[in-house]
Amino acid sequence: MLTIHGNAKRLCTGITRRDLLSAGSLGLGGVTLDHLLRLDSLQAKGLAPIAGKAKSCIVLFLYGAWSQLDTLDMKPDSPREVRGEFQPISTSVPGIQISEHLPRLARRLDRLSLVRSMTHSHPTHCVAYSLSGIPNNPLRDPKDYWPFFGSTLDYLWNQSPKDTPIAGMPRNLCLPWELNSHSTNRSHRGLTPAWLGQQWETVVGQFSGTATRSRGAPSADGEQATYSRYDPHDGISVDSRFQIIAPTLVQSAPKVGLPHKVAQSGAALPADITLHRFRNRKSLLNQLSDARRDLDQAPSTEGLNYFQQMAFDMISSGQCAASLDVTLEPQSVRERYGHTLFGQAALAARRLVEAGARVVTVYWDEFGPANTGWDTHVNHFPRLKEGLCPTLDQAYDALMTDLEQRGMLDDTIVVLISEHGRTPRLRNKPGGARDHWSYAYSGLFAGAGIRKGQVLGATDKQAGYPVDHPLNPKDILATLYHLLGFDVMNTRTYDSLGRPRFILPYGKVVSELLS
């Protein structure tokens, strides 16, 4: 069995939120709470909200990443060492073909926007480059990081009285665990709130359950091709679920272990904090708030108070717990998504957004050795055919069908992307191999404000470089900010010293994607 927990949270000052809750006498000995929190000031000035069409966003991120040539941008007339083994099939958009191993996606392409000309110059794992404002990759110094776009949105929404969060429901979450935390790979960098302060860190979910397939899809361990064993992406038990440990109260947590008892889903207290202690802490916090009513109005305390209240609400309210518990869904719905980690995480994302979450990011991450999942350096074609494509096709179609039937696509954007593509020319490896390639790759977009039934951009005969409408990841982020109500040219965030910061270093709204 598999149990994944969250991490301790610290403020920019180095003080844990837990310490602030416990040390109720701060300010009585010469060091004021205001002084400690001054570095975490959340004063946002110069915001430029616009009439965004979307209220929420689900990001499905294929870490690794997927091959444009074998999925969405096939080149059947190219030589075999380029086109590969798969055959194209027609889609619901006349004249457009995609891989034979994505039949459900092919049938719904008339309700999506397919971009075939995404491009950048960093052919390495660079999730932060795709999902934050980092201008280059990699950035080695943490002071140069830019905020993850979910953290930026959480920060911006918190400045608006019209965007009051639902009690007990974080705005910005990710599933099924912290990226790269269960792989030997540690390639991602900079998925942090950066200068916004740690109170705007993404709330990370945890998967708790049982991987069911002793022998899964053919995978890889460096240059040695193997078959995956008990990888939750290959299959999980029906009692598997997700939970979140309330971040304000977490001090430490164990890493993955096999086996582990399946944990109770929902927002939970750490094992060393009883309900009695929890209530006492909230009582103490309330007394301090009463004693410092004027101080609590200070801008420098605003963000921390928001985070404290969110944590308390997550524990005392059943909203977050119920939303995460996918076992509450009818079995027929769960089967449509598939009993895989990615499928059930996509279902949890729908439930979270339906309950009031605003940004939910679902990573299809590596599990175990590096070069697993979508990082197909070895056994490329068997992995795509036997596991990756069918699982993605099922989960994505189920999510889109679910959102359509519930009327949620009117105000929810769904983004299916990765950090790059894969090399146009195959390497001579068992089962084929494609390596990292960022100069041309594809993405899918749907939902609120997105134009339907179009293919935007084109690549050359080997899907190696765009020949029409090249789009950088920053253009995609600019478009998402626009649809969610923020003008990237005029909106600023502010760091702990009150200095204004752009939300993106460059990038333009892709008007052709808009309905």
Side-chain angles (χ1 to χ4, degrees), residues 340-354:
T340 62
L341 182 61
F342 186 75
Q344 295 302 294
L347 173 56
R350 187 270 287 167
R351 290 175 59 83
L352 287 166
V353 168
E354 193 171 32

Side-chain angles (χ1 to χ4, degrees), residues 145-278:
Y145 292 162
W146 285 55
F148 169 60
F149 101 109
S151 297
T152 299
L153 286 166
D154 197 5
Y155 170 98
L156 294 173
W157 280 321
N158 196 60
Q159 316 309 314
S160 172
K162 297 180 181 180
D163 283 300
T164 303
I166 295 175
M169 180 56 62
R171 292 190 185 97
N172 171 34
L173 305 97
C174 81
L175 294 169
W177 50 59
E178 183 181 7
L179 184 63
N180 282 178
S181 59
H182 302 292
S183 166
T184 58
N185 194 353
R186 295 290 184 270
S187 296
H188 80 285
R189 295 290 187 274
L191 289 177
T192 75
W195 61 72
L196 298 179
Q198 293 301 304
Q199 58 269 49
W200 303 109
E201 191 168 305
T202 303
V203 175
V204 179
Q206 63 170 351
F207 168 73
S208 181
T210 306
T212 56
R213 289 181 62 181
S214 60
R215 180 181 171 95
S219 188
D221 185 358
E223 297 296 320
Q224 180 64 45
T226 64
Y227 277 77
S228 59
R229 287 182 54 79
Y230 294 108
D231 184 336
H233 294 98
D234 293 331
I236 57 176
S237 61
V238 295
D239 59 352
S240 298
R241 58 192 69 195
F242 302 91
Q243 72 175 44
I244 292 175
I245 298 295
T248 304
L249 300 173
V250 171
Q251 193 168 35
S252 62
K255 289 293 185 181
V256 170
L258 293 173
H260 266 305
K261 182 179 180 180
V262 176
Q264 182 180 358
S265 69
L269 288 168
D272 64 332
I273 298 180
T274 65
L275 185 59
H276 177 70
R277 288 182 65 192
F278 169 72

Side-chain angles (χ1 to χ4, degrees), residues 283-318:
S283 175
L284 175 60
L285 183 64
N286 289 338
Q287 293 175 51
L288 288 169
S289 297
D290 290 341
R292 300 179 181 196
R293 186 172 292 107
D294 292 339
L295 179 60
D296 280 346
Q297 301 305 313
S300 60
T301 68
E302 186 175 329
L304 182 61
N305 290 340
Y306 156 74
F307 201 99
Q308 288 173 331
Q309 189 60 55
M310 181 185 73
F312 283 124
D313 289 345
M314 284 171 61
I315 295 171
S316 59
S317 167

Side-chain angles (χ1 to χ4, degrees), residues 64-68 120 418-423 435-442:
W66 60 346
S67 165
Q68 69 279 15
H120 62 83
S418 59
E419 70 265 42
H420 52 66
R422 305 206 76 82
T423 48
D435 298 321
H436 299 174
W437 186 263
S438 64
Y439 306 102
Y441 63 109
S442 301

Side-chain angles (χ1 to χ4, degrees), residues 358-394:
R358 304 292 294 277
V359 180
V360 181
T361 306
V362 177
Y363 297 105
W364 187 321
D365 197 7
E366 292 181 320
F367 181 80
N371 299 337
T372 52
W374 292 90
D375 203 15
T376 53
H377 294 285
V378 178
N379 252 335
H380 175 79
F381 291 107
R383 288 162 65 181
L384 288 171
K385 179 180 179 180
E386 297 177 29
L388 297 172
C389 284
T391 300
L392 172 64
D393 198 43
Q394 179 177 2

Side-chain angles (χ1 to χ4, degrees), residues 322-345:
S323 301
L324 283 163
D325 192 352
V326 292
T327 66
L328 297 177
E329 287 286 333
Q331 187 60 25
S332 59
V333 173
R334 298 190 69 196
E335 288 174 353
R336 284 205 302 270
Y337 281 82
H339 283 293
T340 62
L341 182 61
F342 186 75
Q344 295 302 294

